[in-house]
Amino acid sequence: MKKLLRKLLYIRPFLRKKWYLSWNPVYFRIMGVEFGPGLRVHNKVYLESKGRITIGKEFHFTSGDSINPICRNIRGGLYAMTESAHIEIGDRVGISSACLWSKERITIGNDVNIGGDCLIMDNDAHPIDYLQRRKSYSEEVGQEAYSKTIGTAPIRIDDDVWIGARCLILKGVHIGARSVIAAGSVVTRDIPSDVVAGGNPCRVIKTLKEEGR
């Protein structure tokens, strides 16, 4: 009886999962996202594509609904917030409930894994000058001029990088190929290839030696 009840209770999330796997490719196309074959996006995703979002083949994105226990019901998002913004994602990339927020450019290579609830943003969100953060300033100069006061710099994440859960990757960062970023790290500067790095601010912990080569 308990097994039957559990199966009946599972019908609704099962159908929701099937629905979003079918609907999200259509939704992405409507929103102007370019993507290759094998797109699998679980559950609802926040999507803003004023600029350009390009995704390679076999992209896997889980979003909320406790699909990934680390994320619980945190919903992921892809935000290209300006006409000049570009989010470029390579082949076979896996992302769990992360938020990618671009005003200039975020580039992610092939075979990259991005853990639960990460935030990758190529901009400061607000001006550093407190006077420019005031509402009166944006009203005075207009939205376009206000936007130019917000610091931005492109982010690049190379092939085979693994970023642990709840990392924050800030503007201007380049993470080299095959490196591992420990969970909870705040990455404010470049990380070389083939290392384990972690902390706040993120620093190299050790070098990864290639075995058998």
Side-chain angles (χ1 to χ4, degrees), residues 184-195:
S185 297
V186 179
V187 187
T188 60
R189 63 189 72 178
D190 291 353
I191 302 296
S193 301
D194 298 300
V195 300

Side-chain angles (χ1 to χ4, degrees), residues 44-73:
K44 188 174 181 179
V45 174
Y46 294 116
L47 193 59
E48 180 71 56
S49 55
K50 292 180 180 177
R52 189 179 179 199
I53 301 175
T54 56
I55 301 171
K57 63 184 179 182
E58 298 178 36
F59 179 62
H60 190 191
F61 195 114
T62 63
S63 177
D65 209 21
S66 294
I67 296 168
N68 182 333
I70 295 173
C71 311
R72 301 174 305 285
N73 286 321

Side-chain angles (χ1 to χ4, degrees), residues 14-30 35 39-43:
F14 174 79
L15 292 176
R16 186 165 60 243
K17 176 181 177 181
K18 290 293 186 182
W19 158 252
Y20 277 110
L21 285 173
S22 299
W23 163 247
N24 278 323
V26 178
Y27 174 53
F28 273 47
R29 288 193 190 282
I30 292 172
F35 58 89
L39 182 89
R40 291 178 62 82
V41 179
H42 297 264
N43 209 23

